């Protein structure tokens, strides 16, 4: 299925590509996208949020350590 949507010689504009994909869709040659159920979407959102919080925490720790380093204060061995 996916190979049909790859670049086709001679069809170089977005309008022509859109027409090509619409034509494939009309003939039932394009599969629908996977849409996870609500529970899985919420879990993914929580995991992404947690990852962001962890990254923010690491960035803050690094900034604090860098500030201490400028003052010649070393917390680690």
């Amino acid at each position: 299925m996916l190979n049909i949507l790859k670049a086709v010689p001679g069809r170089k504009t977005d309008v022509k590509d859109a027409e090509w994909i619409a034509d494939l869709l009309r003939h039932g040659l394009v599969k629908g996208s996977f849409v996870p159920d609500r529970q899985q979407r919420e879990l993914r959102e929580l995991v992404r949020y947690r990852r962001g919080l962890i990254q923010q925490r690491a960035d803050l720790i690094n900034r604090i350590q860098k500030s201490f380093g400028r003052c010649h204060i070393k917390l680690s061995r």
Side-chain angles (χ1 to χ4, degrees), residues 10-70:
R11 295 182 179 270
K12 298 298 180 190
T13 67
D14 288 341
V15 174
K16 286 186 179 183
D17 285 341
E19 290 172 354
W20 173 251
I21 293 170
D23 193 37
L24 292 174
L25 185 62
R26 275 192 293 272
H27 290 92
L29 296 174
V30 179
K31 278 179 30 176
S33 299
F34 169 72
V35 178
D37 61 4
R38 182 183 180 122
Q39 186 178 9
Q40 189 173 5
R41 288 193 310 263
E42 289 175 356
L43 180 61
R44 286 179 178 186
E45 184 178 339
L46 284 173
V47 169
R48 289 182 184 127
Y49 181 67
R50 180 178 182 269
R51 187 181 310 141
L53 289 177
I54 292 169
Q55 184 62 50
Q56 287 177 10
R57 180 177 149 218
D59 291 343
L60 182 59
I61 290 170
N62 289 337
R63 285 177 47 206
I64 291 170
Q65 287 178 345
K66 189 173 183 178
S67 296
F68 281 155
R70 287 189 201 130

